[in-house]
Amino acid sequence: MAQGRHYSPPMRNLIMRARLILTAIAIASLVLGYFGLRGFLAANSTLKITHSPGDLLYFDIELFLVQSTPIAMGGHIPWQLQIARFSAPSILLYAITELGIALSAARLQRARIRRFRDHAIICGAGRPVGILTRRLTEDGMRVVVVIGNQLGEIAGRYLVVGDPKLAKTLLDAGLERAAVVYACYERSEENAEIADLVEQIRASRRGPEKMYALIDNLELCAALKARRWSLAASDVRHLDFFNPDEIAAQATVRQDASAFGADPPEIAIVGTGAFGCSVLVEFARQWSTRRGASRQRMKAVLVGPDAQRVVTELGNRYAFLDEACLLVPHTGSLERLIVDRRQASAPVLRRLYICQDDEREALETALSSAASHQGSIAAVVVRLNQMSGMARAFQQEHGRGALLDSLGGRLRIVDVIADGCDPLRIGDDLAENLARACHRRYLIEQTRGGAELGGSPSLVGWEELGADLQAANRAQAIDNGAKLAAIDCLIALHSEASRDFTFRDGEIELLAQWEHDRWMGERLRQGWVYGPRRDNVGRLHPDLVPWPSLPEQDREKDRQVVRAIPEILADVGLGIVRVGPVEALE
C-alpha cells in the first residue's frame, strides 16, 4: 500500500527546485569522479588496477556507495576526486532519507486512515470517482479513494493503492468505521465482487452502513436489485446497485416540469439504450400521476433500428406503460419522422431526446434538430458522456455567459456521469423507488375518486410530500421483501412467470395482519398511543390495537396494501414468482 502525499503549491515548487539541484550535483559528481579517477590512476601507475573507460565508470559509481576500490589502495587524490567522493554519497544519503520519510509517512497515513470514522470509501478511477469525491467533499464528508494502481486518476486527498477486492486493502481504507462504500470501476463484475467482499466483512465484523455498486448494464442492475430485495434476512437498504444512465434519465425528467401540461404530451426518443429507455419509463410514470382524473395517454415514439423489439420488451416488463402511454416504434430516420409528422399535422413534440451511442452524431443531430425544426420540436435534450465537457459550453456559470448558444433554451445537454453519479440520487435506492410507486398509486386512486392534486398535504408529488409521509411510504416498501419471503415468493424482473401471479387463499389475510403489526410497531416506536379518536398533535390513534380487535373496515385497508404489492412492483419493472414446493404453500 502507498499513500499519496499532497503538498501546497509553494512546497511543491521548493521540492522540485531541490530535486533539480540534487540531480545537478549527481551529474557533476559522476563527471568529476570519472576524470578524477582517471587522473588518480595515471598518477599512481604502480597500482595494479586496470583503468579502461568501463572500469573507470564502475569505480565512479562506487563513490555513491561511500567506497571506491582505487582510493582504498592509497595515493594522492586530485581535487576533482576529492569533491566527488564527498558529494556523491550525499546523494545516496538524501535518497535514503526521503525513502525513510515516505515509508514512515505511508505507515502513519495508513494508521490514520484506519482510525477515520463516518467517512466515504470510493473504489475505482475515472470521472465517476471524481464526481463522487467532489460532491461528498462539498457536503463535508471525508473521502478515501482506493485505486488499483498509481497510474489512474487520483481524485481524493486520501489515497490507498491496492486491490479493493482484497480485505486488507479495504481495511487499510478504514472500512470498519466507514459510513458508505462506492464501487465505481468500469467493469460491473469488479464492482459486484467488491460489494460481496464488503458484505462478508460486515457479516464478521464492523462495516459501513451503506454500500453502492455501479452496474453499467440496465437489465443486470435491475436483476441484482431484485435478488437483493428478496433476501428477507438482509437489510436491503444498505446494499444497492446503481446505473448512471438510469439515474440521470430519471433526474432529467423529474426536473423538467414544463415538459408536461394539461394536454397529453408527445415525445420522441432517438436511441434504445439505457438512457433512452429510462427516459421513456420515467416520463410515462410522471404523466400517469400528473394527468389527474384524465385517462388520456401520452404518446412516445422510439426511434432506432431495433425500436420494435425494445417497445415490445418495455411493454412486457412495465405493466403500467400501455395504460399511460401510446408507444410507437419508428425504425426509420429522425428526419423521416419529422417530415411524416408535419404532413400529418401532428402536434409539436414536447421533447426530443437524443441518446445515440455515437455521441458526436448525437450532438450534431441535436444541434441540427433544435435549429431546423423549431416549429415541430419545443426542446431537444441530448445525452453525453465522453463528450460531457461540451455540456459546460452551453451553461452559464458564475455570472458568465455560455460559450455556445443553447438556442434560446431549446437545447439542453445532460452530462450522464455528473447527473448519474450524484450521491444524493444514488441514495434513492430500490426502497425509494418503491416508496415513490406507493405514493403514485395512492395519488392515482385518489384522483380517480374525484380528489384534486394539491387538495391536501398528502395529495402532492413526491418531492413536495412531507418527510413523515415519505418515511411511512419507505417503511412500507422496505417490508415487501420480507412479506413475500414469508409465503415462499421472491422478487424478480417482471416476466411471463410473474405476470400471472395471484395470492392464494389465506395469504392476503396473513400478510395484512403482518402489515398491521409492522405499522403498529412503527407508530409505537414514534411515541403514538391508543386513543378513541385520531389526534396528530397528541399522537393518538384508534387503530393501535391488536389485529383481532381491529374493526373490519380498518382490516380492509391493510388487505388493500397487500393486494397492491404486485402493481407497485410492476411499476418499477419487477414481479413476484413462487419458489417453494406446492405442498408447502397449501
Side-chain angles (χ1 to χ4, degrees):
M1 304 295 166
Q3 167 63 37
R5 287 180 290 162
H6 297 257
Y7 301 100
S8 63
M11 181 61 72
R12 282 199 298 269
N13 291 335
L14 181 61
I15 292 173
M16 182 63 70
R17 284 196 292 269
R19 286 175 177 169
L20 288 174
I21 292 171
L22 288 167
T23 300
I25 292 174
I27 294 172
S29 297
L30 281 171
V31 173
L32 291 173
Y34 183 88
F35 287 104
L37 285 166
R38 190 174 68 174
F40 174 80
L41 292 174
N44 298 277
S45 57
T46 57
L47 296 176
K48 297 181 179 179
I49 298 177
T50 59
H51 47 279
S52 64
D55 294 326
L56 289 174
L57 181 59
Y58 177 79
F59 298 143
D60 191 12
I61 294 174
E62 281 188 325
L63 292 172
F64 289 87
L65 303 177
V66 201
Q67 64 176 357
S68 184
T69 302
I71 296 177
M73 302 182 74
H76 175 70
I77 301 176
W79 67 269
Q80 299 97 326
L81 190 55
Q82 287 281 19
I83 294 174
R85 70 171 180 156
F86 288 104
S87 62
S90 67
I91 302 299
L92 177 63
L93 179 61
Y94 169 80
I96 293 173
T97 302
E98 184 162 288
L99 178 61
I101 292 173
L103 291 175
S104 298
R107 292 193 191 98
L108 290 173
Q109 196 71 291
R110 282 201 299 273
R112 181 187 179 195
I113 289 174
R114 277 178 171 263
R115 292 194 301 272
F116 282 174
R117 186 181 296 276
D118 296 329
H119 60 289
I121 299 175
I122 305 176
C123 305
R127 287 195 70 227
V129 175
I131 294 292
L132 277 168
T133 300
R134 187 177 77 249
R135 300 272 172 82
L136 290 168
T137 302
E138 289 172 353
D139 290 339
M141 179 172 273
R142 182 180 282 160
V143 177
V144 175
V145 177
V146 179
I147 190 169
N149 58 69
Q150 291 177 310
L151 299 179
E153 177 184 343
I154 299 176
R157 178 182 177 187
Y158 301 104
L159 177 71
V160 173
V161 179
D163 186 354
K165 297 187 291 298
L166 297 177
K168 185 180 185 303
T169 306
L170 293 179
L171 293 173
D172 279 343
L175 180 71
E176 292 180 284
R177 298 170 182 262
V180 60
V181 177
Y182 298 90
C184 300
Y185 279 97
E186 290 185 1
R187 296 176 63 244
S188 299
E189 310 91 282
E190 290 187 85
N191 297 329
E193 286 184 59
I194 295 169
D196 181 62
L197 177 58
V198 171
E199 282 294 280
Q200 293 179 38
I201 295 173
R202 290 199 298 191
S204 60
R205 55 208 300 178
R206 290 181 300 174
E209 181 184 352
K210 299 178 181 179
M211 168 77 217
Y212 299 103
L214 188 155
I215 305 296
D216 61 359
N217 182 280
L218 187 60
E219 290 296 308
L220 177 60
C221 186
L224 290 172
K225 285 174 180 281
R227 294 274 52 75
R228 177 64 178 174
W229 200 257
S230 291
L231 293 177
S234 298
D235 190 347
V236 295
R237 291 171 295 174
H238 296 165
L239 170 60
D240 196 32
F241 304 90
F242 70 97
N243 180 276
D245 273 293
E246 181 181 33
I247 293 175
Q250 291 173 347
T252 299
V253 175
R254 291 171 185 171
Q255 294 172 347
D256 191 9
S258 63
F260 302 91
D263 298 327
E266 295 195 15
I267 65 172
I269 301 170
V270 181
T272 55
F275 186 86
C277 291
S278 298
V279 161
L280 193 156
V281 171
E282 185 61 28
F283 208 106
R285 281 198 192 111
Q286 294 291 323
W287 173 246
S288 66
T289 302
R290 294 171 183 267
R291 64 183 174 176
S294 169
R295 309 310 303 150
Q296 292 180 294
R297 295 190 297 174
M298 60 166 283
K299 181 178 180 180
V301 182
L302 190 61
V303 181
D306 56 346
Q308 181 62 65
R309 176 186 61 80
V310 175
V311 163
T312 301
E313 290 177 354
L314 289 174
N316 290 336
R317 181 174 170 191
Y318 296 95
F320 76 94
L321 267 183
D322 184 59
E323 189 270 336
C325 177
L326 173 62
L327 277 175
V328 179
H330 180 81
T331 56
S333 66
L334 173 61
E335 196 65 34
R336 182 71 262 168
L337 172 66
I338 300 299
V339 171
D340 290 346
R341 288 180 61 84
R342 281 179 177 170
Q343 292 176 349
S345 299
V348 173
L349 280 175
R350 201 75 58 83
R351 292 292 181 271
L352 171 62
Y353 296 92
I354 308 292
C355 38
Q356 299 127 302
D357 292 334
D358 187 331
E359 294 186 23
R360 187 180 299 277
E361 180 184 352
L363 185 57
E364 290 175 355
T365 301
L367 290 168
S368 173
S369 300
S372 305
H373 304 298
Q374 297 182 28
S376 304
I377 304 169
V380 178
V381 181
V382 59
R383 170 213 180 270
L384 295 179
N385 180 6
Q386 301 298 328
M387 295 179 62
S388 58
M390 293 294 294
R392 293 188 292 273
F394 292 91
Q395 298 171 348
Q396 293 184 356
E397 294 183 351
H398 309 297
R400 297 181 179 180
L403 178 63
L404 299 176
D405 177 23
S406 62
L407 302 174
R410 290 187 301 276
L411 177 63
R412 304 173 187 179
I413 310 293
V414 176
D415 182 342
V416 73
I417 297 300
D419 290 349
C421 290
D422 186 310
L424 293 178
R425 291 170 181 157
I426 291 173
D428 286 350
D429 56 11
L430 186 56
E432 186 78 5
N433 288 328
L434 285 173
R436 288 174 178 267
C438 288
H439 185 61
R440 273 194 299 272
R441 188 175 187 278
Y442 168 77
L443 292 179
I444 291 170
E445 289 180 348
Q446 293 299 308
T447 52
R448 284 177 181 175
E452 293 186 7
L453 291 176
S456 71
S458 60
L459 286 172
V460 295
W462 178 262
E463 283 73 19
E464 294 80 36
L465 196 64
D468 56 336
L469 294 175
Q470 287 187 351
N473 278 295
R474 289 190 195 98
Q476 187 182 103
I478 286 168
D479 200 51
N480 285 337
K483 285 190 180 78
L484 294 172
I487 58 172
D488 293 311
C489 293
L490 57 79
I491 299 173
L493 293 181
H494 193 62
S495 63
E496 292 291 338
S498 62
R499 187 173 291 107
D500 298 329
F501 172 83
T502 56
F503 287 107
R504 292 175 176 168
D505 293 341
E507 291 180 341
I508 291 179
E509 195 71 10
L510 171 68
L511 298 184
Q513 182 174 347
W514 178 310
E515 170 59 22
H516 176 69
D517 292 343
R518 180 205 65 79
W519 171 85
M520 189 165 67
E522 176 188 281
R523 287 300 175 103
L524 291 174
R525 286 190 297 273
Q526 293 173 353
W528 287 71
V529 296
Y530 170 79
R533 292 186 179 181
R534 179 167 180 170
D535 181 354
N536 290 340
V537 176
R539 297 201 171 193
L540 304 176
H541 204 295
D543 290 347
L544 287 172
V545 295
W547 179 260
S549 303
L550 192 67
E552 180 60 26
Q553 66 268 23
D554 294 313
R555 291 186 185 186
E556 185 59 26
K557 294 177 183 177
D558 291 312
R559 296 185 189 113
Q560 289 295 341
V561 169
V562 175
R563 293 189 186 104
I565 292 176
E567 292 182 33
I568 291 170
L569 290 172
D571 186 79
V572 295
L574 301 176
I576 306 171
V577 295
R578 294 189 180 275
V579 293
V582 174
E583 59 270 19
L585 296 171
E586 295 178 346

